[in-house]
Amino acid sequence: MAELNTEEEQLEAIKRWWKENGTSLIAGVVIAAAGIFGWKAWQGYQANQAEAASMRYQQLLTLASQPTLEDAALAQAREQVTALNDEHGGSLYADLATLIEARLAVADGDLAGARAALSALIEGTERGYLKDLARLRLARLELAADEADTALATLDAIASKALDAQRLELRGDAQLALGNQDEARDAYREALATAEAGGQPLFGTRLKLDNLGAEEATL
């Protein structure tokens, strides 16, 4: 353009350039506009989905927080869990709903169902803390079913430091169930020390240690 000498030559060059590039330029503008619109539409959809999941989860919490659940309320709670997993699978709300599903199953005496729900969460979630929380609860159910060795293996897979005190206490319970009093004593001591260092309350563990006749029951 800088080498052209007359206005006519400049105008002719612009016309020629537009003829060669105008269509692609317009297409690019249209595609960019469509991309922006699509992104905003996607953001709106995501926001609506998150709001819907939150509302379902709040309804589930309201049902699950009742002191006792009648059959109808229990059925409603399970419907909410199913809906959250079907409509919002993979979301945080769906994972939390599965934890509640396991708790409801325990309250209903369905220990096998509770274990199945926790196992599904362990296999399905990418959230490390929730995975480990499910492992902790699964280990408790395994221990209640006299499967102490299985419970220990489940506890070994827990990596979240925030759950160390509870994990160690449950390890002590499992070792005690296997008749390993020294190992149980060590686990209880470590659980108490970990809880104290983290400022976490750990109720009943000191009594368990005292019942073992530990020489250093107080830390």
Side-chain angles (χ1 to χ4, degrees):
M1 297 286 288
E3 297 176 356
L4 299 179
N5 297 320
T6 68
E7 293 183 3
E8 290 79 4
E9 288 175 327
Q10 293 178 15
L11 181 60
E12 183 61 30
I14 291 172
K15 288 180 179 179
R16 190 182 311 116
W17 182 89
W18 180 258
K19 183 177 180 180
E20 294 173 355
N21 300 285
T23 301
S24 60
L25 178 63
I26 292 173
V29 171
V30 170
I31 291 171
I36 293 172
F37 176 78
W39 174 246
K40 289 185 176 180
W42 173 249
Q43 286 182 315
Y45 171 78
Q46 290 289 82
N48 290 337
Q49 288 292 95
E51 183 178 357
S54 176
M55 289 179 62
R56 279 201 179 277
Y57 183 69
Q58 289 301 322
Q59 292 169 358
L60 175 60
L61 278 181
T62 300
L63 288 167
S65 63
Q66 298 179 29
T68 58
L69 277 179
E70 301 295 335
D71 290 344
L74 182 59
Q76 289 178 8
R78 285 174 171 161
E79 287 174 3
Q80 294 291 357
V81 172
T82 300
L84 278 164
N85 279 284
D86 288 347
E87 300 171 14
H88 310 283
S91 69
L92 174 61
Y93 293 113
D95 286 350
L96 293 173
T98 303
L99 284 176
I100 292 178
E101 178 186 12
R103 179 161 62 84
L104 292 174
V106 170
D108 196 38
D110 182 13
L111 300 187
R115 291 176 67 164
L118 292 171
S119 296
L121 181 57
I122 291 168
E123 292 297 323
T125 187
E126 296 299 325
R127 298 174 176 86
Y129 178 79
L130 289 184
K131 190 186 291 284
D132 284 344
L133 185 58
R135 286 189 175 116
L136 188 71
R137 296 183 180 182
L138 179 60
R140 288 197 182 103
L141 293 177
E142 291 167 343
L143 188 55
D146 295 325
E147 300 173 15
D149 284 323
T150 304
L152 285 173
T154 300
L155 292 170
D156 283 342
I158 295 176
S160 298
K161 295 298 183 182
L163 298 173
D164 272 353
Q166 296 95 318
R167 176 182 60 81
L168 288 164
E169 180 187 19
L170 197 53
R171 171 172 288 281
D173 293 344
Q175 292 290 3
L176 189 60
L178 292 170
N180 303 325
Q181 292 193 3
D182 288 342
E183 288 83 352
R185 185 180 292 111
D186 290 343
Y188 289 146
R189 285 172 176 163
E190 192 174 353
L192 286 169
T194 301
E196 183 177 351
Q200 301 174 350
L202 200 60
F203 304 105
T205 309
R206 194 178 302 277
L207 180 60
K208 293 176 183 178
L209 188 57
D210 290 340
N211 288 339
L212 283 173
E215 296 178 1
E216 300 177 14
T218 58
L219 297 177

